[in-house]
Structure formats: C-alpha cells, structure tokens
Amino acid sequence: MHQFSLARLAAGLAAGEFSSRELTAHFLDRIERHDPRLNAFVTVTRDAALAQAGAADARLRAGEAGPLTGIPLAHKDIFCTEGVRTSCASRMLDGFTAPYDATVVERLKAAGMVMLGKTNMDEFAMGSSSETSWYGPVKNPWDPARVPGGSSGGSAAAVAARLAPAATGTDTGGSIRQPAALCGLSGLKPTYGRVSRWGMIAFASSLDQGGPMARSAEDLALLLPAMAGFDERDSTSSPEPVPDYPAQLDEDVKGLRVGLPREWFREGLDAGVAASIEEARRVLEGLGVVFRDIDLPNSALAVPAYYVVAPAECSSNLARYDGVRYGYRCEAPRDLEDLYRRSRSEAFGAEVKRRIMMGTYVLSAGYYDAYYLKAQKIRRLIADDFRAAFAEVDLILGPTSPTRAFRLGEKTADPVTMYLSDIYTIAVNLAGLPGLTVPAPMAGGLPVGLQLVGDYFQEGRLLNLAHRLQRTTDWHLATPPGFD
Ligand code: GLN
C-alpha cells in the first residue's frame, strides 16, 4: 500500500479494498519501524490519526468522500495544528501547542485527509540540510550519512521512505524543491499567493509559500486544489480561481517552448547533475518539446539579494518571540531586559541568530539604502528577467540544485557554501513565480532534481509537462534501498 499513488489509494478506499484505518495503521507502523533511523518526524499523532481515519471511513461509507478522503499525510512542523505541538524545530516553540489550524491544514482536513504527524525541518525553515533542527538532523533515506536537503527535509525523507504518501512543505528560497530533489521526489512551490500563509509560521513573508511534496506530478495535481485558493485571513492570498489541475495533466506538450537559462548551466553545476538533466531534456524533446537557450542576466545577484531580504523580514517576524507572550522563557529573569536577552539567546540556534543579526543590520538607519533598498531593486531586475524570458518561452527548465545530497556536517561550518544550494531556486521566490521539481535519472546512486519554472499561475502547465515526462519514464518510481 505504501507504494501506491494517491489516485490508486483513493480507488482502493472507494472500492473497499482497504479502509482508511488500515491504511493509516500501516503508515503509522512504518513510521514506528523506520523513523528512528531517519528522524523525519518531530511528533507522531497516532491516536488522532486513527480517529480521523475512522471518520474518513464513515464518510466513505456514506458516499460523501472526495478524492483525498481517508488518505494519510504529514505536515511540516511550521504549520499550526490545533492541539498539537507546533515547534518549527526550535527550542523557542518546543512547548508551544497551536490553538488553531493553519488554513492549509484546515483545508486538507476538510478534504478528509488524515494527519500522521509533524515533520522535522531546519529551525524556522532557515537552512538547506535540515541540520539546524533543535531535534537533531534528518537523514536522507537514500544514504543515511547524507542530508535530505532543507528546510522541508523531514517531509522529504518521510515521503521518500514511504512513511507517508504525501506531505506539506514551505519554500522561501527552495525549501520544497531542494529537499524533494535530494530525496527523489516531486515537489511544487506555487505562485506567491496561490496558497494561504495563514497559520504558517512566518520566516520571510514576501517569499514564503506552502506547497505539496509527493512522489509524482499527478499526486501534486490532486493535492494542490485542496490547498490553494483565496483566504480572507491572508491579505496576500490571490483571488485567482483555482483551475482543475488534474484535468490538465494529459494535455499534449508538442510544440511547447522551453527555455534553458545559460546562467544555470555554467561553473558550479555538478557534472553528474548536468548529465542527468540533459538525459531528461532529450526525453522531453522526444515528446515534441522545443528547446532554446535563454538568458537570465541577473541570476548571479539572486542569492546575495535574498540574503538581505530574507534576513530583514526574519528579523522583524521573529521579534515576536520575546519570552513574554508565548514560547520559551528563561529561568528567573532579573528584569525585562534580561528576560528578552536570555530567552532569545537560549532558545534560538546559531543560524537563526545569524539571520536576525544580518537582518537587523541591513534594516538599520545608516545601512537601509545601501543594502535593503538595493536588494529590493535587484529583486525587480530579477522579476524583469523572467518577464522577458516568458515573452519568448512557455516554461523554463534547469537543475533544481547544483549538487546531489551532500554529507551530514559537510557544509555546516561554511554558511555561504550552504546558501549556494539554492542558487537555482531562490530567484523563483524573489520573482514570486511557480517552480516544480521532479526526479531526473539518478546519478551515482543518488537522486537528481529537474526544475521547471512557469509564469504566474501556470502551475497547471508545469504539472502537465512533468506528468508527461513521468508517463514515459520511471525515474520517479525508484525507492530507497530498505524502504520498499
Ligand atoms: N535555504 C534557504 C534559506 O536558508 C531557503 C530556505 C527556505 O526556503 N525556507 O533561507
């Protein structure tokens, strides 16, 4: 059952081949057996999951089920879940139980999906390796000596190891796409505003976007309609109607124009990754896709601009953790100043502190114009690059990440090397565009991610091309050894 696609699970549930309780128990047992090696879960909600599954079975019997009713999933621990610890993998929120559900959680619950638990991640979603978690690092199921990517590394490891059929993630600079790539999954970062951010713990609000992680584009297309759409509680959520993504999956891709940004295939790109992307490109060419080289001239500025904008927003968003209202509070504070200082010093990890300091610096009166304002101008240039590209092509194709999964500890001493993991994903967030990753052929026993980027609200087109690729190849079906 753990190898079934979401559509196959739905069919099995509808036909009474298995119940949601049986299915849920099966995944809970797999988590119990395999997760100690991976550390993908921060919290497992066994009793609540079985109760939700029982309710889903009643809906199925009453003929009131939707396409996702009774199917289990895991939520990244950045989404608030009513009555369940929501930690963001930080000591700061280790004891925090959310009083309400995030919109994404609420909608998937209403669709009848069953929450198995909450997944591990980089602290406050700051990282590319899931090593900064207060609960310890997540391991990659393909090789437990390697990282699963981050920040949604727990979600990626859980789905890759078949401990959950699907999971939610969030992507501020690559955190859905890069871990999905490093674990051999399909993952979608929707257009900014497509999915409500309400109840999703804020990192950099102008970049943060939630989305689905699963094993195929078809699975993503089933999940997205249940997550997306206007939400009056998030003023940046879009009123754009949510299309029928599954209906678009099989459209013909003949004649589709796809651009290859020259800047994404230069130095810094691992040779194994490049060869794998080229193999996937040739398959797409065989389907009638027309490729041409394009330029995104400001690509090199994306990472530097992001590391001004994202820390600036994070320093502001994380000011709320003051030891007073909720979250960690230090022992026996001497006075208010001591309470703030020690609560934040003791509960935030090194990377979070580094970002808060950078952000506070770039926003300070004397440096605002030189850094923050400049970065915002670069952000506009990057969006303009994409606008010009989409006047010539329908979609953009490239690698998701410059390397395959790296070893635990390999990049922790050098933050800048770690930041470069997102060199191909970050510009997409700065521009607010949708980006999708799907597995390309494996290289040296490790997964490689192929990235597709579309114009605003073109998620359907991304899923369509990815699905056509997955109909003719089996790269997305590979299972990590020991988890099949
Ligand atoms: N790795 C990037 C960072 O550390 C992006 C993280 C994310 O998308 N949440 O900020």
Side-chain angles (χ1 to χ4, degrees):
M1 285 191 284
H2 53 271
Q3 292 288 13
F4 289 172
S5 69
L6 297 193
R8 176 69 182 83
L9 289 174
L13 287 165
E17 194 183 318
F18 42 81
S19 68
S20 174
R21 261 189 89 93
E22 286 162 347
L23 184 62
T24 302
H26 176 69
F27 280 105
L28 289 167
D29 291 347
R30 282 186 65 81
I31 294 170
E32 204 170 287
R33 184 143 50 94
H34 295 292
D35 197 51
R37 274 188 288 158
L38 299 173
N39 200 25
F41 282 85
V42 166
T43 303
V44 179
T45 48
R46 175 177 270 273
D47 295 345
L50 291 171
Q52 282 178 15
D57 283 328
R59 266 175 81 172
L60 282 152
R61 277 194 303 271
E64 287 159 10
L68 297 170
T69 306
I71 299 178
L73 95 164
H75 284 299
K76 183 177 183 180
D77 207 16
I78 196 169
F79 288 99
C80 285
T81 42
E82 188 182 350
V84 176
R85 174 174 63 178
T86 299
S87 72
C88 237
S90 179
R91 184 181 195 191
M92 183 58 89
L93 293 176
D94 178 46
F96 176 66
T97 298
Y100 58 83
D101 281 332
T103 298
V104 162
V105 171
E106 185 182 273
R107 289 187 178 177
L108 290 169
K109 202 184 259 183
M113 291 198 89
V114 173
M115 179 174 94
L116 297 167
K118 309 288 298 285
T119 59
N120 205 350
M121 53 184 280
D122 279 299
E123 184 180 8
F124 283 104
M126 297 171 197
S128 301
S129 66
S130 302
E131 291 172 289
T132 70
S133 167
W134 168 245
Y135 306 103
V138 183
K139 318 282 169 54
N140 190 319
W142 288 96
D143 176 356
R146 292 176 190 269
V147 304
S151 64
S152 312
S155 287
V159 178
R162 278 58 175 167
L163 308 187
T168 53
T170 62
D171 192 311
T172 305
S175 279
I176 287 175
R177 289 161 290 162
Q178 186 257 14
L182 270 44
C183 289
L185 299 180
S186 304
L188 175 68
K189 182 211 92 81
T191 306
Y192 183 77
R194 178 73 297 181
V195 170
S196 170
R197 291 182 296 107
W198 197 76
M200 198 175 102
I201 294 174
F203 162 14
S205 307
S206 76
L207 300 161
D208 297 342
Q209 185 62 202
M213 303 173 77
R215 297 204 314 268
S216 68
E218 183 194 39
D219 287 358
L220 298 177
L222 285 169
L223 290 162
L224 187 58
M227 299 172 72
F230 178 69
D231 176 8
E232 61 181 15
R233 295 168 298 190
D234 172 6
S235 61
T236 62
S237 78
S238 168
E240 184 80 16
V242 179
D244 184 354
Y245 299 110
Q248 282 174 261
L249 284 173
D250 286 308
E251 280 173 16
D252 197 4
V253 295
K254 213 170 157 109
L256 198 73
R257 300 165 306 162
V258 175
L260 304 165
R262 290 190 180 87
E263 295 79 4
W264 291 7
F265 292 91
R266 289 191 183 144
E267 65 280 2
L269 178 61
D270 172 86
V273 173
S276 169
I277 300 295
E278 173 54 19
E279 193 177 334
R281 193 198 64 77
R282 267 190 265 115
V283 172
L284 290 171
E285 209 162 47
L287 297 176
V289 173
V290 182
F291 287 93
R292 76 165 71 153
D293 290 331
I294 58 162
D295 284 301
L296 295 173
N298 292 293
S299 291
L301 300 177
V303 170
Y306 173 89
Y307 280 97
V308 172
V309 173
E313 294 186 22
C314 120
S315 71
S316 169
N317 272 327
L318 272 59
R320 73 190 66 178
Y321 306 106
D322 55 6
V324 177
R325 285 168 293 184
Y326 51 82
Y328 179 87
R329 180 179 297 171
C330 68
E331 292 287 337
R334 266 182 288 107
D335 52 26
L336 189 62
E337 174 79 24
D338 187 49
L339 168 77
Y340 290 155
R341 191 186 297 270
R342 279 204 292 123
S343 296
R344 289 169 67 85
S345 301
E346 290 166 18
F348 286 139
E351 184 61 26
V352 172
K353 287 177 185 160
R354 184 177 297 126
R355 307 272 179 123
I356 292 172
M357 286 194 286
M358 281 198 282
T360 309
Y361 180 80
V362 301
L363 289 176
S364 59
Y367 296 105
Y368 182 90
D369 289 358
Y371 293 107
Y372 186 71
L373 200 62
K374 183 71 134 215
Q376 293 290 29
K377 290 178 177 169
I378 292 171
R379 193 169 176 180
R380 166 57 66 87
L381 292 177
I382 286 169
D384 287 347
D385 281 359
F386 281 110
R387 186 166 306 128
F390 286 124
E392 288 178 40
V393 296
D394 302 308
L395 295 177
I396 293 173
L397 180 148
T400 305
S401 191
T403 67
R404 286 158 283 176
F406 44 91
R407 292 185 182 281
L408 284 149
E410 189 177 322
K411 299 191 181 186
T412 38
D414 181 0
V416 175
T417 313
M418 186 74 88
Y419 296 170
L420 291 174
S421 296
D422 295 320
I423 191 160
Y424 309 125
T425 50
I426 271 179
V428 178
N429 299 76
L430 288 170
L433 294 164
L436 172 74
T437 186
V438 288
M442 306 240 301
L446 291 172
V448 172
L450 168 87
Q451 181 175 217
L452 296 171
V453 180
D455 208 346
Y456 300 105
F457 300 104
Q458 294 297 312
E459 285 83 359
R461 215 173 223 177
L462 296 175
L463 292 163
N464 168 219
L465 184 60
H467 178 64
R468 295 302 298 247
L469 178 68
Q470 292 181 336
R471 261 178 44 180
T472 46
T473 57
D474 59 3
W475 308 324
H476 62 295
L477 299 177
T479 307
F483 295 99
D484 44 359

